[in-house]
Amino acid sequence: MILHELCNYYDRLASDPNSGIAPMGFSVQKIAFEVVIREDGSLIGIHDLRESDGKNLRSHPMVVPGAAKPSGSGLNPSLFGWDRTDYMLGYVNLETIAEADREKKTARCAGAHQAYIEAMFALEPEIDTPAFSAFCVFLSTWDLAAADLSVLEDVSGCFGVVRVGRGTQAFLHDLPALQARISGSHDGAVGTCLLTGEDAVIAATHTPKIQGVNGAQGAGALVVSFNFDAVESYGYKQSYNGPVGVESAFKYGTALNRLLERGGRHRVQVAGDTCVFWADAPSTAETLFDYCLEGPKKSEDEDTTRELAETMKQLVDGLERIPDADVGFNILCLAPNAGRISIRFWQTGTVAQQLGAVIQHQRELAIVSGPKDPRASASVAAAKGDRARHEGNSAATGRSAAA
């Protein structure tokens, strides 16, 4: 049920051309820099692509071909042009690494860069485009010792992309010949997918991994995982015990990662647990639900905050109906569990049930927040009005009794 609803949420986002959700075979990566080269492979410059959120610089999310890079001690260069500074440029900022680990880190960095160069050179005959060949020329002539490291020092260990030609808007990973490498069918055992009821190639392990759950592994963790004999049956290994198609696994994982994005309107932290929520259809109730629990976002402008505060005031006072009351609304609470993720609770209902419960909760606890909190101001005013009416009724009753 949970994974099925997450797949539905992915389909909802995929139908919106402005959602930025990654299609099958792609992933959203946080890109911090770009390498811009000329058509002859010479370097134009390395540019910082991070954006300011007022206090910090944040990497720019970008849809790129290929899945997230797996964790582990092995070398795994991206086969689609984009990669980290150590793989693409052979650079790591040693000032950020403990002195005892620097020699080991330097050796690994050199190995990663060599693996990346070899992977790109091996791809060149297959891709067979001037832009990709220009990048291979750049790699063969790149001299880290002579390079300006002012940008790389700040983005060490971050992902970067490549642009060929000054002023062009296309990136190397946008090349059709590169992207065509992921459009083929998946290999593996075929079975009935539990989420769709249809025959599909079954995922041995579910990807992408889930990132953003507080306390879970930074490289990502799994909601569905079988990796020891006690939980296997009838000879089935890994996730073949609970067969889910490769496409369905991609959908639910991608949708959950979108919900878990920090700073978004679809997640709240409840003590050590991470909760996400979403509606079955686009609805302002998603924003209002988060506003009730978290208050205004630092990144929001004053007009948006003011509009949300006014809407909440109207809802708390009963002057406005809950929007999209009959639309389905889902709440999923997750907790870290080593390399896996535990489901703390799962609750479904309508917008009226879920948002209405939160509004009622805010009314009853309004005094806790204080009158300066825009979420509580309407509640405080309503409480004062109720108290005044109660006192007026008591006084009237007293006068009647005295008479």
Side-chain angles (χ1 to χ4, degrees):
M1 180 65 175
I2 298 173
L3 304 187
H4 179 74
E5 290 298 329
L6 285 167
C7 286
N8 289 341
Y9 181 62
Y10 175 90
D11 290 336
R12 172 192 144 183
L13 294 177
S15 66
D16 178 3
N18 298 317
S19 70
I21 195 72
M24 183 69 182
F26 291 71
S27 61
V28 177
Q29 299 296 333
K30 296 177 180 178
I31 304 299
F33 70 95
E34 65 173 2
V35 176
V36 185
I37 61 176
R38 297 181 179 88
E39 287 80 356
D40 63 1
S42 59
L43 177 67
I44 294 176
I46 299 175
H47 305 149
D48 193 333
L49 296 183
R50 293 174 300 168
E51 301 169 341
S52 174
D53 63 359
K55 291 185 177 180
N56 302 304
L57 290 174
R58 297 190 180 279
S59 297
H60 177 68
M62 187 179 295
V63 176
V64 296
K69 289 173 69 67
S71 59
S73 58
L75 298 177
N76 43 57
S78 167
L79 300 180
F80 301 97
W82 59 274
D83 217 315
R84 293 198 312 251
T85 57
D86 52 343
Y87 279 91
M88 186 185 293
L89 301 173
Y91 176 80
V92 62
N93 188 351
L94 294 178
E95 296 299 322
T96 63
I97 299 171
E99 189 170 352
D101 298 329
R102 289 180 182 178
E103 183 177 350
K104 181 180 179 181
K105 190 68 175 180
T106 299
R108 176 174 170 77
C109 179
H113 185 50
Q114 184 60 35
Y116 184 80
I117 291 175
E118 292 174 0
M120 295 302 102
F121 284 5
L123 280 176
E124 186 179 7
E126 176 187 339
I127 305 305
D128 192 25
T129 62
F132 194 85
S133 295
F135 181 52
C136 289
V137 171
F138 163 77
L139 290 175
S140 66
T141 58
W142 166 248
D143 183 4
L144 181 64
D148 178 4
L149 303 181
S150 56
V151 172
L152 292 180
E153 288 175 351
D154 294 330
V155 299
S156 176
C158 296
F159 288 124
V161 292
V162 180
R163 193 194 302 272
V164 181
R166 189 189 299 274
T168 180
Q169 296 302 309
F171 293 103
L172 189 72
H173 61 256
D174 292 327
L175 288 173
L178 266 179
Q179 296 195 355
R181 302 184 72 253
I182 61 174
S183 61
S185 60
H186 295 275
D187 296 326
V190 175
T192 302
C193 173
L194 292 177
L195 304 188
T196 65
E198 300 175 354
D199 287 344
V201 176
I202 302 303
T205 56
H206 293 189
T207 57
K209 288 187 175 182
I210 308 306
Q211 297 180 311
V213 176
N214 272 20
Q217 290 186 356
L222 295 171
V223 173
V224 178
S225 175
F226 305 81
N227 72 336
F228 53 94
D229 294 343
V231 296
E232 295 174 352
S233 60
Y234 296 98
Y236 289 107
K237 301 290 185 181
Q238 296 180 304
S239 293
Y240 292 119
N241 286 273
V244 172
V246 170
E247 184 174 2
S248 294
F250 170 81
K251 283 184 175 182
Y252 90 72
T254 302
L256 186 50
N257 280 335
R258 169 61 70 88
L259 291 166
L260 285 164
E261 288 180 355
R262 298 185 186 279
R265 276 290 184 192
H266 291 268
R267 64 169 287 161
V268 294
Q269 201 64 33
V270 181
D273 299 335
T274 305
C275 291
V276 295
F277 47 86
W278 69 98
D280 290 348
S283 173
T284 57
E286 292 171 322
T287 301
L288 290 170
F289 189 85
D290 178 60
Y291 183 80
C292 280
L293 299 176
E294 294 273 275
K297 298 289 185 184
K298 293 180 179 179
S299 58
E300 284 177 343
D301 56 62
E302 293 182 2
D303 290 340
T304 300
T305 299
R306 191 179 304 111
E307 182 179 343
L308 287 169
E310 181 59 28
T311 301
M312 284 307 305
K313 179 179 184 301
Q314 298 294 318
L315 288 170
V316 170
D317 286 347
L319 302 177
E320 185 175 319
R321 296 185 61 186
I322 293 177
D324 307 314
D326 296 330
V327 172
F329 198 91
N330 310 284
I331 304 173
L332 174 62
C333 187
L334 306 170
N337 182 17
R340 296 171 183 77
I341 296 171
S342 297
I343 305 299
R344 186 70 76 189
F345 66 80
W346 162 246
Q347 185 173 338
T348 60
T350 64
V351 167
Q353 292 170 330
Q354 309 283 38
L355 182 56
V358 175
I359 290 173
Q360 183 61 33
H361 179 70
Q362 290 293 334
R363 285 173 178 164
E364 294 173 352
L365 298 182
I367 193 172
V368 174
S369 297
K372 291 184 179 180
D373 190 326
R375 291 171 294 165
S377 58
S379 303
V380 172
K384 288 181 178 178
D386 291 342
R387 187 161 56 250
R389 285 190 293 272
H390 175 71
E391 291 172 352
N393 292 336
S394 297
T397 301
R399 286 193 298 272
S400 299

